[in-house]
Amino acid sequence: MRRTAFLTALVASVMLALPAAAADSALMVMFKDMCVNTRASMDPALAKADAKSWATLPKEMFSGSEFKEMEKFEARYSAEGGGIKMLFVGVGNIDTEWGKTKVDICFVADSAADADALLKETQAFAGVQPATGAGAANQTMWAYIQGPKGNVTAAGMSDADTAAAAKAGTARILLHQKETGLTMVGYAIPRI
């Protein structure tokens, strides 16, 4: 019994000496809840926003050329305390090394988020280095494969290996983006 008490005290003292893990920001919590936990699937993500009574953004607001590859999409928003939170979810097509690929896309945004802090959180979430030369100046992108021992960068992998990961549902394209007055994080899950 004494040995168990000693081990418990030792573990407790070691845990107190370790630096505390920072709590996720509100936007990272929202990303994990609405996008990660739903595997970027439209209906479950929209159900989470609808359960919070978020309003629907009209599709006419999304008329830019970047939406031409979307087969279907919907967006929700909430205006709280002078800030705006958004969810954008859909199914689209992107050009990849193995041809046109269907992707499930889920993004969340917050006008009150700290973009620099969120970038660090997104980097920690990815667990791999960002892709070089991808995206625009206001974007950071990660392409990785989820594995049993953690995420592995897709950079340098063969087309066959990345295609196999997409078929297995383990490929991810993660994006952090900073716009004027809005910070976004989201990802696409390819499925071939």
Side-chain angles (χ1 to χ4, degrees), residues 117-143:
L118 184 71
L119 180 59
K120 290 176 185 172
E121 284 183 284
T122 310
Q123 173 63 57
F125 176 82
V128 298
Q129 289 302 307
T132 55
N138 62 337
Q139 298 173 330
T140 304
M141 186 182 300
W142 298 261

Side-chain angles (χ1 to χ4, degrees), residues 104-128:
D104 293 303
I105 299 169
C106 183
F107 281 87
V108 291
D110 189 342
S111 64
D114 179 332
D116 295 331
L118 184 71
L119 180 59
K120 290 176 185 172
E121 284 183 284
T122 310
Q123 173 63 57
F125 176 82
V128 298

Side-chain angles (χ1 to χ4, degrees), residues 25-87:
S25 68
L27 187 52
M28 183 55 70
V29 168
M30 192 166 62
F31 168 65
K32 288 178 178 179
D33 180 47
M34 294 182 159
C35 296
V36 176
N37 293 343
T38 64
R39 294 184 47 81
S41 184
M42 278 188 76
D43 291 339
L46 290 170
K48 287 181 176 284
D50 292 342
K52 297 177 184 198
S53 300
W54 285 21
T56 300
L57 280 166
K59 288 186 179 180
E60 294 76 37
M61 292 183 67
F62 304 98
S63 59
S65 61
E66 65 271 20
F67 297 100
K68 69 180 168 81
E69 297 295 330
M70 298 300 296
E71 287 180 14
K72 56 184 181 175
F73 65 90
E74 290 196 41
R76 302 284 190 272
Y77 78 98
S78 172
E80 304 170 358
I84 296 175
K85 295 181 184 344
M86 293 176 57
L87 166 71

Side-chain angles (χ1 to χ4, degrees), residues 148-161:
K149 295 182 180 179
N151 298 338
V152 178
T153 185
M157 293 180 88
S158 70
D159 291 351
D161 287 343

